[in-house]
Amino acid sequence: IRHDAFAQKRGVPANNGKVVNFIRHVAPAVATTGITELANPTAVTSSGQTVAVTLVEYGSYTNISKFYERTSIDVGLKEQIEAMGINMGESIDTIIKNAMLAGGTPLFASLGGAASVSSVLSTQVLGSADIRRAVKTLKKKKAIPFQGTQGNPVFGGLIGPEAAYDLL
């Protein structure tokens, strides 16, 4: 799973500090009154919430001895580099997932009152009704869909291997 699959991404300009600001726009009230002929519509207030993100640097390394470096075939070093790359990818994805869970409202599928991921039982499986309920919730909260095939709006979602197994 890549938890940043649907994330809003932007570059970080040099010399601008450690905080990046995003704006979460708030939709104005629905217009329910007709416009008088030759008159301008009434102005509405546009508003949004600033979401400030503080940049943090992460990293790790491993010590490789001169002996290993001199006696190992290049394949050994290449495998070590690949293992470190996989570890960094998993680390970044875990950090993103934890931030999403801390700042969002997870939707648990027919889980009989489960309030967290850790309280989900192996007998509680994801079904098509759960997907329909999730889509309904997204529509009611005015989530912005993506353009799917043939111009149909679709919502993106992330599921782990267990949920994918349940659906299949």
Side-chain angles (χ1 to χ4, degrees):
I1 300 174
R2 289 266 323 257
H3 286 89
D4 67 342
F6 307 110
Q8 186 183 112
K9 300 169 191 163
R10 63 175 66 151
V12 180
N15 306 318
N16 277 339
K18 296 180 181 180
V19 177
V20 177
N21 291 310
F22 293 85
I23 304 296
R24 182 182 299 131
H25 295 280
V26 178
V30 176
T32 57
T33 306
I35 300 172
T36 305
E37 190 173 342
L38 300 175
N40 290 329
T42 304
V44 296
T45 303
S46 176
S47 65
Q49 301 163 336
T50 301
V51 179
V53 179
T54 303
L55 301 176
V56 179
E57 189 173 28
Y58 295 91
S60 62
Y61 71 96
T62 185
N63 290 320
I64 297 175
S65 70
K66 290 286 184 187
F67 182 75
Y68 178 75
E69 185 178 328
R70 297 205 189 281
T71 60
S72 174
I73 300 175
D74 286 344
V75 172
L77 290 174
K78 182 180 179 217
E79 289 171 352
Q80 184 69 33
I81 291 168
E82 288 174 357
M84 291 297 289
I86 290 169
N87 174 263
M88 193 66 234
E90 290 174 345
S91 297
I92 290 169
D93 198 55
T94 300
I95 291 162
I96 292 169
K97 176 191 75 174
N98 292 343
M100 288 170 57
L101 289 174
T105 305
L107 181 63
F108 296 102
S110 296
L111 300 181
S116 68
V117 173
S118 62
S119 64
V120 175
L121 304 174
S122 62
T123 57
Q124 297 167 314
V125 299
L126 181 67
S128 60
D130 301 312
I131 302 297
R132 290 193 305 273
R133 184 169 60 94
V135 169
K136 176 189 78 168
T137 301
L138 289 168
K139 286 179 178 179
K140 286 176 72 175
K141 293 189 179 273
K142 301 180 182 177
I144 300 170
F146 298 97
Q147 283 301 111
T149 57
Q150 302 171 356
N152 296 325
V154 296
F155 294 101
L158 303 173
I159 60 172
E162 298 291 331
Y165 176 83
D166 291 344
L167 282 175
L168 291 175

Short mmCIF file of all heavy atoms in Angstrom, two decimals, residues 46-78:
data_model
loop_
_atom_site.label_atom_id
_atom_site.label_comp_id
_atom_site.label_asym_id
_atom_site.label_seq_id
_atom_site.Cartn_x
_atom_site.Cartn_y
_atom_site.Cartn_z
N SER A 46 -15.67 33.64 0.71
CA SER A 46 -14.87 32.44 0.47
C SER A 46 -13.99 32.24 1.69
O SER A 46 -13.39 33.18 2.20
CB SER A 46 -14.01 32.64 -0.78
OG SER A 46 -13.17 31.54 -0.96
N SER A 47 -13.93 31.01 2.18
CA SER A 47 -13.11 30.77 3.36
C SER A 47 -12.37 29.45 3.21
O SER A 47 -12.70 28.61 2.38
CB SER A 47 -13.96 30.77 4.62
OG SER A 47 -14.87 29.69 4.59
N GLY A 48 -11.38 29.31 4.03
CA GLY A 48 -10.59 28.09 4.03
C GLY A 48 -9.85 27.97 5.34
O GLY A 48 -9.76 28.91 6.13
N GLN A 49 -9.32 26.81 5.56
CA GLN A 49 -8.56 26.54 6.77
C GLN A 49 -7.13 26.25 6.36
O GLN A 49 -6.88 25.49 5.43
CB GLN A 49 -9.13 25.33 7.50
CG GLN A 49 -10.57 25.49 7.90
CD GLN A 49 -11.21 24.14 8.23
OE1 GLN A 49 -10.78 23.10 7.77
NE2 GLN A 49 -12.27 24.19 9.03
N THR A 50 -6.20 26.88 7.03
CA THR A 50 -4.79 26.62 6.75
C THR A 50 -4.36 25.35 7.48
O THR A 50 -4.64 25.18 8.66
CB THR A 50 -3.92 27.79 7.22
OG1 THR A 50 -4.33 28.97 6.53
CG2 THR A 50 -2.45 27.53 6.94
N VAL A 51 -3.74 24.47 6.74
CA VAL A 51 -3.18 23.25 7.32
C VAL A 51 -1.67 23.40 7.21
O VAL A 51 -1.11 23.37 6.12
CB VAL A 51 -3.66 21.99 6.58
CG1 VAL A 51 -3.05 20.74 7.18
CG2 VAL A 51 -5.18 21.91 6.59
N ALA A 52 -1.02 23.60 8.35
CA ALA A 52 0.43 23.79 8.38
C ALA A 52 1.12 22.46 8.63
O ALA A 52 0.74 21.72 9.54
CB ALA A 52 0.81 24.79 9.47
N VAL A 53 2.10 22.15 7.82
CA VAL A 53 2.86 20.91 7.95
C VAL A 53 4.32 21.27 8.20
O VAL A 53 4.91 22.01 7.43
CB VAL A 53 2.74 20.06 6.67
CG1 VAL A 53 3.55 18.79 6.80
CG2 VAL A 53 1.29 19.75 6.36
N THR A 54 4.86 20.77 9.27
CA THR A 54 6.26 21.02 9.60
C THR A 54 7.11 19.89 9.03
O THR A 54 6.84 18.71 9.28
CB THR A 54 6.47 21.10 11.12
OG1 THR A 54 5.63 22.13 11.64
CG2 THR A 54 7.92 21.41 11.46
N LEU A 55 8.10 20.26 8.25
CA LEU A 55 8.98 19.27 7.63
C LEU A 55 9.88 18.64 8.69
O LEU A 55 10.37 19.31 9.59
CB LEU A 55 9.85 19.94 6.57
CG LEU A 55 9.09 20.63 5.44
CD1 LEU A 55 10.06 21.33 4.50
CD2 LEU A 55 8.25 19.63 4.67
N VAL A 56 10.06 17.34 8.57
CA VAL A 56 10.92 16.59 9.48
C VAL A 56 11.81 15.70 8.63
O VAL A 56 11.36 15.12 7.65
CB VAL A 56 10.09 15.72 10.45
CG1 VAL A 56 10.98 14.93 11.37
CG2 VAL A 56 9.12 16.57 11.25
N GLU A 57 13.06 15.60 9.01
CA GLU A 57 14.00 14.76 8.27
C GLU A 57 14.12 13.41 8.96
O GLU A 57 14.21 13.33 10.19
CB GLU A 57 15.36 15.46 8.24
CG GLU A 57 16.36 14.81 7.34
CD GLU A 57 17.64 15.64 7.21
OE1 GLU A 57 17.97 16.38 8.15
OE2 GLU A 57 18.28 15.52 6.18
N TYR A 58 14.09 12.34 8.18
CA TYR A 58 14.23 10.99 8.70
C TYR A 58 15.39 10.31 7.99
O TYR A 58 15.73 10.68 6.87
CB TYR A 58 12.95 10.16 8.44
CG TYR A 58 11.74 10.67 9.17
CD1 TYR A 58 10.89 11.60 8.58
CD2 TYR A 58 11.44 10.23 10.44
CE1 TYR A 58 9.78 12.08 9.25
CE2 TYR A 58 10.32 10.69 11.11
CZ TYR A 58 9.50 11.61 10.51
OH TYR A 58 8.40 12.07 11.17
N GLY A 59 15.95 9.32 8.60
CA GLY A 59 17.02 8.58 7.95
C GLY A 59 17.62 7.53 8.85
O GLY A 59 17.37 7.51 10.05
N SER A 60 18.37 6.65 8.26
CA SER A 60 19.11 5.64 9.00
C SER A 60 20.28 5.20 8.13
O SER A 60 20.33 5.50 6.94
CB SER A 60 18.21 4.46 9.37
OG SER A 60 17.73 3.83 8.21
N TYR A 61 21.19 4.50 8.74
CA TYR A 61 22.32 3.98 7.98
C TYR A 61 22.81 2.71 8.65
O TYR A 61 22.42 2.37 9.76
CB TYR A 61 23.45 5.01 7.87
CG TYR A 61 24.19 5.26 9.17
CD1 TYR A 61 25.38 4.59 9.45
CD2 TYR A 61 23.70 6.17 10.10
CE1 TYR A 61 26.05 4.81 10.63
CE2 TYR A 61 24.37 6.40 11.28
CZ TYR A 61 25.54 5.72 11.54
OH TYR A 61 26.21 5.95 12.71
N THR A 62 23.65 2.00 7.95
CA THR A 62 24.25 0.80 8.52
C THR A 62 25.75 0.88 8.32
O THR A 62 26.23 1.45 7.34
CB THR A 62 23.66 -0.47 7.86
OG1 THR A 62 24.18 -1.62 8.53
CG2 THR A 62 23.99 -0.55 6.39
N ASN A 63 26.47 0.34 9.26
CA ASN A 63 27.92 0.29 9.14
C ASN A 63 28.32 -0.93 8.33
O ASN A 63 27.82 -2.04 8.58
CB ASN A 63 28.58 0.21 10.52
CG ASN A 63 28.44 1.49 11.29
OD1 ASN A 63 28.55 2.57 10.73
ND2 ASN A 63 28.19 1.38 12.59
N ILE A 64 29.19 -0.73 7.38
CA ILE A 64 29.74 -1.83 6.60
C ILE A 64 31.25 -1.78 6.79
O ILE A 64 31.87 -0.75 6.54
CB ILE A 64 29.37 -1.71 5.11
CG1 ILE A 64 27.86 -1.78 4.95
CG2 ILE A 64 30.06 -2.79 4.30
CD1 ILE A 64 27.38 -1.56 3.54
N SER A 65 31.78 -2.86 7.26
CA SER A 65 33.21 -2.88 7.56
C SER A 65 34.03 -2.90 6.27
O SER A 65 33.54 -3.31 5.21
CB SER A 65 33.56 -4.10 8.41
OG SER A 65 33.45 -5.27 7.63
N LYS A 66 35.26 -2.46 6.38
CA LYS A 66 36.17 -2.51 5.24
C LYS A 66 36.36 -3.96 4.80
O LYS A 66 36.47 -4.25 3.61
CB LYS A 66 37.53 -1.90 5.60
CG LYS A 66 37.49 -0.41 5.79
CD LYS A 66 37.38 0.26 4.45
CE LYS A 66 37.45 1.76 4.64
NZ LYS A 66 37.19 2.49 3.44
N PHE A 67 36.38 -4.88 5.77
CA PHE A 67 36.55 -6.29 5.45
C PHE A 67 35.40 -6.78 4.56
O PHE A 67 35.62 -7.43 3.55
CB PHE A 67 36.63 -7.11 6.74
CG PHE A 67 36.86 -8.58 6.51
CD1 PHE A 67 38.11 -9.04 6.13
CD2 PHE A 67 35.83 -9.49 6.67
CE1 PHE A 67 38.33 -10.39 5.90
CE2 PHE A 67 36.04 -10.84 6.44
CZ PHE A 67 37.29 -11.29 6.06
N TYR A 68 34.15 -6.44 4.95
CA TYR A 68 32.99 -6.84 4.15
C TYR A 68 33.05 -6.19 2.77
O TYR A 68 32.81 -6.82 1.76
CB TYR A 68 31.69 -6.45 4.87
CG TYR A 68 30.42 -6.79 4.10
CD1 TYR A 68 29.98 -8.09 4.03
CD2 TYR A 68 29.69 -5.80 3.45
CE1 TYR A 68 28.83 -8.42 3.33
CE2 TYR A 68 28.54 -6.11 2.75
CZ TYR A 68 28.12 -7.42 2.69
OH TYR A 68 26.98 -7.73 1.99
N GLU A 69 33.40 -4.92 2.77
CA GLU A 69 33.46 -4.17 1.52
C GLU A 69 34.50 -4.78 0.57
O GLU A 69 34.28 -4.87 -0.63
CB GLU A 69 33.82 -2.71 1.83
CG GLU A 69 33.80 -1.80 0.64
CD GLU A 69 34.12 -0.37 1.03
OE1 GLU A 69 33.78 0.05 2.14
OE2 GLU A 69 34.74 0.32 0.20
N ARG A 70 35.62 -5.23 1.11
CA ARG A 70 36.70 -5.75 0.27
C ARG A 70 36.52 -7.23 -0.09
O ARG A 70 37.07 -7.69 -1.08
CB ARG A 70 38.04 -5.56 0.97
CG ARG A 70 38.36 -4.10 1.18
CD ARG A 70 39.84 -3.88 1.28
NE ARG A 70 40.19 -2.54 1.68
CZ ARG A 70 40.19 -1.49 0.88
NH1 ARG A 70 39.85 -1.62 -0.37
NH2 ARG A 70 40.53 -0.30 1.33
N THR A 71 35.77 -7.97 0.71
CA THR A 71 35.64 -9.40 0.45
C THR A 71 34.30 -9.79 -0.17
O THR A 71 34.16 -10.88 -0.69
CB THR A 71 35.81 -10.20 1.76
OG1 THR A 71 34.80 -9.79 2.68
CG2 THR A 71 37.19 -9.99 2.33
N SER A 72 33.32 -8.91 -0.11
CA SER A 72 32.00 -9.22 -0.65
C SER A 72 31.99 -8.94 -2.15
O SER A 72 32.60 -7.98 -2.63
CB SER A 72 30.95 -8.37 0.03
OG SER A 72 29.70 -8.57 -0.59
N ILE A 73 31.30 -9.78 -2.85
CA ILE A 73 31.09 -9.51 -4.28
C ILE A 73 30.08 -8.37 -4.35
O ILE A 73 29.25 -8.19 -3.47
CB ILE A 73 30.54 -10.78 -4.97
CG1 ILE A 73 31.55 -11.92 -4.80
CG2 ILE A 73 30.22 -10.53 -6.41
CD1 ILE A 73 31.10 -13.25 -5.33
N ASP A 74 30.13 -7.59 -5.41
CA ASP A 74 29.26 -6.42 -5.55
C ASP A 74 27.79 -6.74 -5.29
O ASP A 74 27.04 -5.89 -4.85
CB ASP A 74 29.41 -5.81 -6.95
CG ASP A 74 30.71 -5.06 -7.10
OD1 ASP A 74 31.34 -4.76 -6.07
OD2 ASP A 74 31.11 -4.79 -8.24
N VAL A 75 27.39 -7.98 -5.57
CA VAL A 75 26.00 -8.37 -5.34
C VAL A 75 25.62 -8.18 -3.88
O VAL A 75 24.53 -7.72 -3.55
CB VAL A 75 25.77 -9.83 -5.79
CG1 VAL A 75 24.39 -10.31 -5.40
CG2 VAL A 75 25.97 -9.96 -7.29
N GLY A 76 26.53 -8.51 -2.96
CA GLY A 76 26.25 -8.37 -1.54
C GLY A 76 25.99 -6.93 -1.15
O GLY A 76 25.06 -6.63 -0.40
N LEU A 77 26.80 -6.02 -1.67
CA LEU A 77 26.59 -4.60 -1.38
C LEU A 77 25.30 -4.10 -2.03
O LEU A 77 24.56 -3.31 -1.45
CB LEU A 77 27.79 -3.78 -1.86
CG LEU A 77 29.08 -3.98 -1.06
CD1 LEU A 77 30.23 -3.23 -1.70
CD2 LEU A 77 28.88 -3.55 0.37
N LYS A 78 25.02 -4.56 -3.24
CA LYS A 78 23.80 -4.15 -3.93
C LYS A 78 22.56 -4.60 -3.14
O LYS A 78 21.60 -3.85 -2.98
CB LYS A 78 23.77 -4.74 -5.34
CG LYS A 78 22.56 -4.33 -6.14
CD LYS A 78 22.59 -4.94 -7.53
CE LYS A 78 21.33 -4.51 -8.25
NZ LYS A 78 20.78 -5.53 -9.09
#
